Amino acid sequence: MDSQMDPQIQALIEAHNSGKITRRDFVRQAAVLLGGAIITGTALANSSAGAAEAAQATPSGTLVATLADNPSAKILTKMIEFDTKGSNFPTAPGYLAYPDGAGPFPAVLIIQEWWGLDNHIKAVTELMARNGYAAVAPDLYRGEVAQEPAEAQKLAMALIMDQAIKDIQGAADYLTAQDFVGPKKAGIVGFCFGGGLAWQMAWNGKDNIGPIVAFYGLGGLDITKV
């Protein structure tokens, strides 16, 4: 697979692994090369397989990936509460879905669109579980779900961004602490409004944050100016 990798991506990975550029510079330059679709943490730079997958993004910037919906796969789901260490809210709710089994299962966080933790985001979380992942969608609005764009905009603008980052990190800490999760890193997939928050986690996340994928991320960090 390495033979198919874009030479610029390969050179960027080698520069990071040899210490010639920082993690921040790696993330920024990778985003520019890949059209801003994929921002990763240390895991991407240390994984040639992960980097090769990133290099095969389509010209439109969409990650080439296929998840089969297998309704017969047995999964477990429930609402959870986890610590955030936030000054505004010390805890946050979330939706957990994982395969019915001992694991270990890889971990992934699903970050909501500006509508909130609605049925669509819950369905995506369950889809990940049916594909063998332990997944959590943190409820950043704490129970509120918008039905109209004006309402969604109001909720998004009222969101305290520092708290949202703590909520996402808290969800990662909760998930990676579970016995059925391994390795102890959580990838992040964010959609639209959540895509911007996913980008933020590339800088603000702890060591247990793994690869990050943002789909049409809005409202996030302008990585070209960092």
Side-chain angles (χ1 to χ4, degrees):
M1 186 174 291
D2 286 351
S3 62
Q4 300 176 1
M5 191 182 303
D6 186 288
Q8 290 180 292
I9 296 293
Q10 181 67 54
L12 189 60
I13 293 167
E14 292 174 356
H16 177 275
N17 289 346
S18 65
K20 293 180 180 179
I21 62 173
T22 65
R23 175 176 180 264
R24 178 174 296 218
D25 285 338
F26 172 82
V27 171
R28 182 177 60 222
Q29 293 179 46
V32 173
L33 289 173
L34 298 174
I38 302 168
I39 308 297
T40 67
T42 305
L44 177 58
N46 291 338
S47 169
S48 60
E53 290 177 3
Q56 294 182 59
T58 66
S60 62
T62 303
L63 180 66
V64 176
T66 301
L67 291 180
D69 193 3
N70 181 11
S72 63
K74 189 173 182 181
I75 62 172
L76 303 175
T77 65
K78 64 178 179 179
M79 290 297 298
I80 58 171
E81 192 86 10
F82 52 85
D83 294 332
T84 69
K85 301 180 176 63
S87 57
N88 298 285
F89 300 98
T91 64
Y95 186 66
L96 169 68
Y98 61 101
D100 184 12
F105 309 112
V108 63
L109 304 180
I110 307 300
I111 311 302
Q112 67 190 52
E113 298 167 306
W114 70 344
W115 307 107
L117 181 59
D118 58 10
N119 290 335
H120 168 65
I121 294 300
K122 289 181 178 179
V124 173
T125 307
E126 294 170 4
L127 176 63
M128 297 301 296
R130 287 194 292 271
N131 278 269
Y133 292 84
V136 166
D139 185 357
L140 304 180
Y141 293 163
R142 289 170 168 76
E144 295 192 75
V145 177
Q147 302 297 328
E148 300 294 335
E151 183 183 2
Q153 183 180 35
K154 182 178 179 180
L155 288 172
M157 292 180 66
L159 186 67
I160 301 170
M161 297 306 292
D162 287 347
Q163 180 67 55
I165 295 301
K166 289 181 171 63
D167 290 350
I168 297 170
Q169 184 61 61
D173 294 344
Y174 170 89
L175 192 55
T176 56
Q178 303 307 306
D179 292 339
F180 53 80
V181 167
K184 299 301 183 178
K185 282 184 178 288
I188 299 179
V189 178
F191 298 92
C192 198
F193 174 74
L197 289 169
W199 284 345
Q200 293 279 10
M201 292 303 295
W203 273 263
N204 299 111
K206 298 194 313 190
D207 289 344
N208 63 348
I209 299 298
I212 292 173
V213 178
F215 287 97
Y216 50 90
L218 298 176
L221 183 66
D222 184 351
I223 57 173
T224 64
K225 298 181 180 179
V226 175

